[in-house]
């Protein structure tokens, strides 16, 4: 009888141990599966981020080339044409007028040299990383105002923003795309760009006073979807409010802690 009880207890103990081992194996299997899924998801996010970063870099280069082409044609080309005409004019001018014409030509050439220097500063493939997010944005605003594309009401409460270097490139591209949409579609002559540095987030407000659009009628175009996707990649919130004939309000909320997730 004692032997039977011992065998029974041994069997029960063995069964319990086997159950525990089986549960540990199952738990370990689930853990490994979850870990593998997390690693794959992170790799997918990293690959998507790198892809979006590369696209943003290419788009900024294209924007820069378009800007340089426009400047060469509209500004430098005109100044050099005037200088050439004045050079031809100097041969027919009276002796007392030649000095004044030469001074005007010299002044025009000096402006052209300065314009070329300014263009060389813009023609940098890593513009945002080189100048920083704020200075790059202010350069963009200065360009828009100088070309008289829009009147820009610009406010910022801190020029030393805490933004991941790669994130700043994508964030800059989002803002640039929003402004371009205003120029192309809003039929507005004024835009407000406001940047607020808060405790844990950076809020960027872009408001125009244009025709707006009804989002219940208009399908979101691919451009707007791209902006939403880009914001999501850098863990930023993108909110848009618009109505017919009531302008468009955009708020981008960038979480500062996103800078440390890389």
């Amino acid at each position: 009888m004692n032997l039977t009880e011992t065998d029974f207890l041994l069997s029960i103990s063995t069964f319990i141990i086997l159950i525990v081992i089986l549960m540990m194996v199952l738990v370990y299997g689930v853990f490994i599966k979850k870990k593998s899924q997390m690693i794959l998801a992170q790799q997918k996010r990293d690959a998507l981020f790198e892809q979006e970063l590369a696209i943003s870099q290419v788009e900024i280069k294209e924007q820069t080339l378009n800007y340089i082409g426009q400047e060469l044609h509209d500004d430098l080309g005109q100044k050099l044409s005037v200088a050439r005409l004045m050079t031809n004019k100097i041969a027919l001018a009276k002796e007392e007028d030649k000095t004044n014409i030469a001074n005007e030509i010299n002044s025009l050439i000096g402006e052209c040299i300065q314009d070329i220097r300014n263009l060389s500063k813009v023609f940098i493939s890593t513009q945002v990383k080189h100048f920083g997010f704020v200075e790059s944005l202010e350069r963009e605003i200065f360009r828009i105002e100088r070309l008289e594309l829009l009147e820009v009401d610009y406010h910022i409460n801190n020029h030393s923003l805490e933004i991941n270097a790669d994130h700043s490139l994508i964030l800059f591209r989002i803002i640039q795309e929003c402004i371009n949409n205003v120029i192309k579609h809003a039929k507005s002559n004024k835009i407000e760009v406001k940047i607020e540095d808060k405790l844990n987030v950076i809020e960027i407000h872009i408001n125009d006073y244009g025709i707006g659009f009804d989002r219940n009628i208009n399908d979101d175009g691919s451009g707007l979807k791209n902006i939403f996707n880009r914001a999501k990649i850098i863990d930023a919130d993108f909110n848009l409010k618009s109505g017919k004939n009531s302008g468009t309000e955009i708020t981008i909320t960038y979480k500062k802690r996103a800078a440390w997730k890389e």
Side-chain angles (χ1 to χ4, degrees):
M1 185 70 179
N2 290 335
L3 183 62
T4 303
E5 289 180 356
T6 302
D7 289 341
F8 178 74
L9 289 173
L10 185 60
S11 299
I12 291 296
S13 300
T14 303
F15 179 74
I16 292 171
I17 290 170
L18 287 173
I19 292 295
V20 171
I21 292 173
L22 181 61
M23 290 179 64
M24 290 177 66
V25 169
L26 288 172
V27 170
Y28 182 72
V30 171
F31 171 76
I32 292 297
K33 184 178 179 180
K34 289 287 185 183
K35 186 177 180 181
S36 299
Q37 289 175 342
M38 288 176 63
I39 291 172
L40 288 173
Q42 184 62 45
Q43 288 175 343
K44 185 177 179 180
R45 284 195 297 269
D46 291 344
L48 190 61
F49 177 80
E50 291 298 326
Q51 180 184 9
E52 195 59 51
L53 183 62
I55 291 171
S56 296
Q57 289 172 335
V58 170
E59 287 176 344
I60 286 176
K61 287 178 182 179
E62 289 177 353
Q63 285 281 107
T64 303
L65 287 172
N66 289 335
Y67 167 59
I68 288 174
Q70 188 176 1
E71 287 292 294
L72 289 173
H73 180 270
D74 296 343
D75 191 26
L76 267 172
Q78 288 183 6
K79 287 178 181 177
L80 290 173
S81 295
V82 172
R84 183 182 181 185
L85 289 172
M86 295 183 74
T87 302
N88 295 332
K89 184 180 177 182
I90 201 170
L92 304 173
K94 297 178 182 179
E95 197 64 34
E96 58 270 20
D97 295 331
K98 287 183 178 181
T99 301
N100 291 332
I101 295 173
N103 288 335
E104 289 183 26
I105 293 172
N106 184 61
S107 177
L108 277 171
I109 293 173
E111 288 180 22
C112 289
I113 291 170
Q114 186 59 48
D115 288 343
I116 291 170
R117 285 175 178 167
N118 292 337
L119 285 176
S120 68
K121 292 177 182 178
V122 172
F123 195 53
I124 296 174
S125 59
T126 54
Q127 175 184 330
V128 179
K129 288 186 179 180
H130 181 83
F131 293 116
F133 171 79
V134 173
E135 185 174 348
S136 296
L137 179 59
E138 290 177 351
R139 283 170 174 268
E140 181 72 6
I141 290 170
F142 172 75
R143 180 183 74 85
I144 290 167
E145 290 182 323
R146 191 171 64 80
L147 296 175
E148 298 182 347
L149 300 174
L150 282 173
E151 178 188 343
V152 184
D153 186 11
Y154 172 69
H155 301 279
I156 184 170
N157 67 344
N158 181 14
H159 280 75
S160 301
L161 298 178
E162 182 185 342
I163 304 178
N164 174 287
D166 289 334
H167 288 191
S168 65
L169 185 65
I170 296 175
L171 188 59
F172 173 78
R173 184 63 192 135
I174 290 172
I175 297 170
Q176 194 179 50
E177 205 165 344
C178 290
I179 294 174
N180 286 341
N181 284 339
V182 174
I183 294 170
K184 291 178 182 177
H185 307 298
K187 295 183 180 179
S188 174
N189 57 6
K190 185 178 180 181
I191 188 172
E192 180 183 14
V193 179
K194 185 178 180 182
I195 301 175
E196 293 183 283
D197 186 15
K198 297 185 176 180
L199 183 61
N200 296 316
V201 299
I202 296 169
E203 283 189 0
I204 300 163
H205 303 274
I206 304 170
N207 302 329
D208 69 64
Y209 304 89
I211 59 174
F213 61 96
D214 189 345
R215 294 192 63 186
N216 294 322
I217 299 175
N218 296 40
D219 289 330
D220 292 346
S222 59
L224 193 56
K225 288 178 182 176
N226 286 339
I227 292 174
F228 274 103
N229 290 335
R230 285 177 172 174
K232 187 177 179 181
I233 285 172
I234 60 173
D235 196 24
D237 295 327
F238 183 89
N239 294 301
L240 184 148
K241 294 180 181 178
S242 187
K244 193 173 181 180
N245 299 321
S246 62
T248 302
E249 298 180 9
I250 292 171
T251 303
I252 304 163
T253 306
Y254 176 79
K255 304 173 185 66
K256 291 182 181 180
R257 302 312 299 178
W260 308 108
K261 290 183 180 180
E262 294 299 307

